[in-house]
Amino acid sequence: MARAQDGAVVIRFCVIDDHEVVHDGLRAMADREPDLEFLGGATTVPDGEHLVERVHPAVAILDLRIGERDGGNGIDLCRTLHSRYPSMSVVLFSAYGNGELLAQAIAAGAAGYMLKETSVGRVPGILREITTSGSWFEPRIASELLQRRAGGSAPGAFSAQELEIVRGISRGENNHEIGEQLHISPHTVKYHIASMLRRHEVHRRAELVRLASDLHLLE
């Protein structure tokens, strides 16, 4: 990772959004911050994929609705980029703030979810938080999703038993060990894990841990 003259880490980022004014605003913001470097912008999904491949950013900011005219969206692109570049942080940038979209973003591998109403002055701090801690999600939306999932009212919520299984996964336990802790069979544990993977549209056990952790359900 690049460093500024004073030794601070430089956060190299790009943006994929079909509004040039967004590019201009983020470029101007980066010019005022010594630890931010704007690597360019793209206005389509194919151009965005090529941009990321060419400049290798630490963070890619994606418009949630990018590619809708061609039947795609930012969630799909987020999933693609996260699969290709797992060390890169992807941030969804959206005018829509609701818990279900946030859940979809996290399941697709997003490290951040930022509303377009967010003031430009807050963006440098958000990028720094994502770089240092690994994630940043709009607190109001994350709180909504957390409350809905904790209450079990949202489609795809973790049940109490599922959360215990995810806690076991986070401790590195196998299905047999988790089953012993919960007094259920390894086959039942396997069934619950498969159900959670399918429901949250993820493929690995570790992604369930990340999802629950990002929503502060494992604390």
Side-chain angles (χ1 to χ4, degrees):
M1 186 172 290
R3 292 185 177 272
Q5 291 184 350
D6 61 2
V9 172
V10 174
I11 302 169
R12 305 170 72 248
F13 73 98
C14 67
V15 60
I16 305 171
D17 190 298
D18 58 6
H19 293 91
E20 293 282 358
V21 66
V22 173
H23 301 197
D24 295 342
L26 291 174
R27 180 185 295 107
M29 174 207 72
D31 288 343
R32 298 190 295 268
E33 303 291 335
D35 62 337
L36 299 183
E37 181 181 354
F38 181 73
L39 300 177
T43 58
T44 68
V45 168
D47 287 349
E49 292 178 346
H50 294 152
L51 174 65
V52 170
E53 182 180 9
R54 179 169 56 84
V55 302
H56 300 290
V59 180
I61 300 175
L62 312 183
D63 178 11
L64 181 70
R65 301 186 65 177
I66 193 74
E68 280 191 346
R69 297 173 186 173
D70 302 315
N73 57 55
I75 297 290
D76 293 337
L77 180 55
C78 176
R79 186 177 293 108
T80 297
L81 293 178
H82 178 65
S83 175
R84 291 178 183 172
Y85 313 101
S87 64
M88 180 181 70
S89 297
V90 180
V91 180
L92 268 296
F93 194 40
S94 172
Y96 306 100
N98 66 67
E100 194 54 43
L101 285 174
L102 174 58
Q104 292 177 32
I106 293 173
Y113 193 100
M114 184 169 56
L115 294 178
K116 289 196 172 183
E117 66 187 38
T118 301
S119 67
V120 174
R122 291 183 60 203
V123 175
I126 292 171
L127 294 179
R128 292 169 189 136
E129 177 69 18
I130 290 170
T131 301
T132 56
S133 70
S135 64
W136 186 92
F137 301 101
E138 173 59 42
R140 173 171 57 81
I141 308 173
S143 176
E144 173 198 332
L145 181 57
L146 175 60
Q147 290 173 6
R148 290 172 60 195
R149 288 184 180 245
S153 60
F158 290 110
S159 68
Q161 186 172 69
E162 286 174 338
L163 275 178
E164 289 304 320
I165 291 172
V166 175
R167 288 189 177 97
I169 295 171
S170 72
R171 294 190 295 267
E173 297 172 358
N174 59 35
N175 291 357
H176 182 77
E177 292 168 329
I178 294 171
E180 283 190 336
Q181 291 285 337
L182 300 180
H183 307 291
I184 57 178
S185 74
H187 294 293
T188 301
V189 175
K190 181 179 179 180
Y191 168 80
H192 282 300
I193 292 174
S195 176
M196 287 186 285
L197 291 172
R198 184 170 57 253
R199 184 193 316 142
H200 294 292
E201 299 181 351
V202 296
H203 304 287
R204 296 185 296 274
R205 293 156 60 106
E207 292 177 280
L208 294 173
V209 175
R210 176 180 176 179
L211 173 61
S213 177
D214 285 341
L215 296 173
H216 307 289
L217 296 178
L218 300 183
E219 296 178 354

